Amino acid sequence: SASPWPAQLSLRATVAPLLAMPPLLSLALHHDQDVVTARQRAAQLAASLGFDLSEQTRIATAVSEIVRNAFRYATQGLVEYSVDTNGRPQRLVLRVADRGGGIESLDDVLSGTYRSRTGMGIGIQGARRLMDRFSIESSPRGTTVVLEKFLPPSAGILTPQRLQQLAEELTRREP
């Protein structure tokens, strides 16, 4: 199904090619419980891809932090779970997008100099440290965060057929 988010979310050129990857799974964020479900789905996918328990926890925690921000500050959003099979090593790619008002002091948040009474910025910094790659774009039309983790060698090279099987397994499984 087509993503409800416009492609013109002011993504950097390095992030735009990720939009072409079909997600294995998508989750709309509308309720508090969706934050928990997003974390559980990230952990399930990480386990299915052969990440060890500590990496599964890192991935789930990073997703939870970013999704919590999207829900808290924008009240809704979308999480897309994908695998980049074209790069080497292949990567788990998690994209969280919202249509909130954006992050006004993004440079300060990313440099670690921004502090607010709500603690904003700490979750973003934590997620950034937990993943192999991190990118964020924010404007008054919304924020998109892309989290990436290199697949473990034990995963082997994933084929489109294997990814389709994985997507079907995840869809059938309860979060």
Side-chain angles (χ1 to χ4, degrees):
S1 69
S3 174
W5 300 96
Q8 66 272 15
L9 275 173
S10 72
L11 298 175
R12 268 184 262 153
T14 57
V15 177
L18 298 175
L19 295 173
M21 277 186 296
L24 297 173
L25 191 65
S26 295
L27 175 66
L29 305 173
H30 296 293
H31 309 284
D32 284 334
Q33 179 60 39
D34 296 332
V35 175
V36 175
T37 302
R39 178 186 177 92
Q40 292 169 331
R41 287 298 197 185
Q44 286 176 339
L45 180 54
S48 296
L49 291 170
F51 285 99
D52 66 31
L53 192 55
S54 64
E55 288 295 305
Q56 291 171 37
T57 302
R58 285 182 187 97
I59 292 164
T61 300
V63 167
S64 180
E65 290 296 322
I66 299 302
V67 167
R68 184 176 288 109
N69 281 351
F71 186 75
R72 181 177 189 175
Y73 296 103
T75 69
Q76 62 180 341
L78 180 70
V79 184
E80 294 180 329
Y81 305 80
S82 305
V83 174
D84 178 358
T85 57
N86 296 322
R88 294 294 180 266
Q90 292 180 328
R91 301 180 312 275
L92 170 62
V93 179
L94 306 152
R95 180 176 175 267
V96 181
D98 68 54
R99 286 186 164 175
I103 303 169
E104 192 172 313
S105 303
L106 182 58
D107 290 338
D108 293 337
V109 170
L110 293 175
S111 70
T113 60
Y114 184 81
R115 292 290 177 258
S116 76
R117 292 193 340 235
T118 65
M120 185 176 141
I122 296 170
I124 291 172
Q125 286 286 44
R128 186 181 196 182
R129 284 191 299 273
L130 292 169
M131 301 300 284
D132 293 323
R133 291 185 180 169
F134 175 96
S135 61
I136 185 169
E137 284 295 321
S138 191
S139 76
R141 294 183 313 274
T143 300
T144 298
V145 177
V146 178
L147 306 165
E148 299 181 45
K149 192 66 134 171
F150 299 125
L151 296 187
S154 62
I157 300 296
L158 296 179
T159 63
Q161 295 80 13
R162 175 64 186 123
L163 289 176
Q164 181 63 36
Q165 289 173 337
L166 190 56
E168 290 169 5
E169 290 168 16
L170 287 169
T171 301
R172 285 192 303 268
R173 193 182 313 166
E174 288 291 319

